[in-house]
Structures are given as C-alpha cells and as structure tokens.
Amino acid sequence: GSFARNQSFVTANSMVAIGAQLVFTPIITRQYDPEAYGTMNAVLSLSALVMPFFTLQYDRALLMARDERDIQGLRAISNILPAVFSVLLFLALLIGGDRLLTTVGLPALGSLALLVPGLVILGAVTQTSQQMVAVRMRYKQSFIFGSISSVGTKLTAIGYGLLFGGGAIILIAVEVFLRGSH
C-alpha cells in the first residue's frame, strides 16, 4: 500500500545518507585536521542545542492540521519564530562577542559563532520542509533530492579538501549547503 511505499522511501533516504557517511567520512577525515572537525562540531552542536527552543517545535503540529489555512499558518510560524530568535542571537553575539562566548565556555569559536543563527534558520526551514513532505505525501521526490544532496555534499567536501586543503569553514559550508538544499 501507499503507507509501505512511503515508508520505504523514507527508509531508503536514510540508508543513502548513512551509506554516504560510511563511505565518504574516512576519506574526508584524512583531508581535514581534528581542529577543523572540533570547530565544525562545536558550531553545529550549538545550533542543534538552541534549535528546539527557537522553533518551539511548531513544525511537528503540521501533521495534525486539517485544512490548508492551518497548514500554511503553522508553516509560517515554523519559519518565522526561528528567524526572529536567530536575529536576536546574532545581535547578542555581535554585542557580547568574546565575553559572551567565554561565559558559555566556547571562546575558541570566535567569529564562527556568528554562523549559528544562520544554521538555526536553515535547520528550521529543513525541519519544516521535511514535515511538509509528509503533509503533501511527496516521499519519492524527497528521496531523490535528499539522496543527491547527501552524496553531493560529501563529494564537495572531498573535492575541496583535495584541491585546497581542509578547514572548519569548508566543513561548515558543506553543512550549510546540505541544510539549504532541503
């Protein structure tokens, strides 16, 4: 039935993403130094930490909405709230700077912390888009596009590392590209 078919697309998409991780991560880790990975993971972890607070997880309510007006309203809230909170975080990081980062125990991030609000916005849009896939029953299209994005971002990181060497900003840029492509 359609439920099994849709679930097979979701599962296959996850398997492609995991497979890309298993195949390409050993290659990528040889091109980028541990400091680059540490910095990238600190930026991504910080964005993941604030994400549930900034989104208030309104995107999950999309599956319960009955009519189109409710769906569009929830979709708007799911994208606007994190944008507003991210702007406030960006301003706090600009004003507080190194003092703020030292207070929260992340002084090594420096100016890369300014990327966190953008990652939160992209992550929120991605979450909302994934919920909209379920609302609109677009599982096959999501599988095709998600699989291409997962593999493409890994190949981009490998290509850049081979041509120019590694750095945290490139790993973060690849993550931004992956989130932005959804």
Side-chain angles (χ1 to χ4, degrees):
S2 64
F3 177 77
R5 184 175 50 253
N6 292 339
Q7 288 307 309
S8 68
F9 283 123
V10 171
T11 302
N13 193 9
S14 297
M15 291 179 73
V16 168
I18 291 169
Q21 284 284 89
L22 290 172
V23 170
F24 297 123
T25 297
I27 298 167
I28 295 171
T29 57
R30 286 183 175 73
Q31 296 174 340
Y32 295 87
D33 60 3
E35 181 181 308
Y37 268 98
T39 303
M40 177 200 68
N41 283 322
V43 170
L44 295 180
S45 296
L46 188 55
S47 69
L49 178 68
V50 298
M51 178 81 74
F53 300 105
F54 284 20
T55 63
L56 300 177
Q57 298 187 343
Y58 270 101
D59 59 293
R60 294 180 182 201
L62 283 166
L63 295 173
M64 296 183 290
R66 296 285 184 231
D67 63 45
E68 188 63 28
R69 196 176 92 235
D70 289 344
I71 290 170
Q72 293 307 320
L74 285 167
R75 185 178 189 180
I77 288 172
S78 297
N79 289 327
I80 291 171
L81 277 177
V84 169
F85 288 134
S86 292
V87 167
L88 294 175
L89 176 61
F90 185 78
L91 292 174
L93 289 169
L94 277 178
I95 294 166
D98 291 333
R99 284 190 326 249
L100 178 61
L101 292 173
T102 301
T103 302
V104 296
L106 295 170
L109 285 184
S111 60
L112 288 177
L114 294 173
L115 297 173
V116 170
L119 285 168
V120 170
I121 291 170
L122 287 173
V125 170
T126 299
Q127 282 181 352
T128 302
S129 296
Q130 289 170 346
Q131 294 294 359
M132 287 302 292
V133 164
V135 169
R136 301 285 188 234
M137 306 294 276
R138 303 267 195 251
Y139 293 101
K140 183 177 181 179
Q141 295 89 334
S142 177
F143 162 72
I144 293 168
F145 195 72
S147 298
I148 292 169
S149 296
S150 296
V151 173
T153 54
K154 300 299 179 197
L155 292 175
T156 301
I158 291 170
Y160 189 89
L162 286 172
L163 294 174
F164 304 107
I169 194 68
I170 298 307
L171 292 173
I172 294 169
V174 167
E175 184 66 25
V176 167
F177 176 76
L178 180 63
R179 290 182 186 198
S181 68
H182 286 95

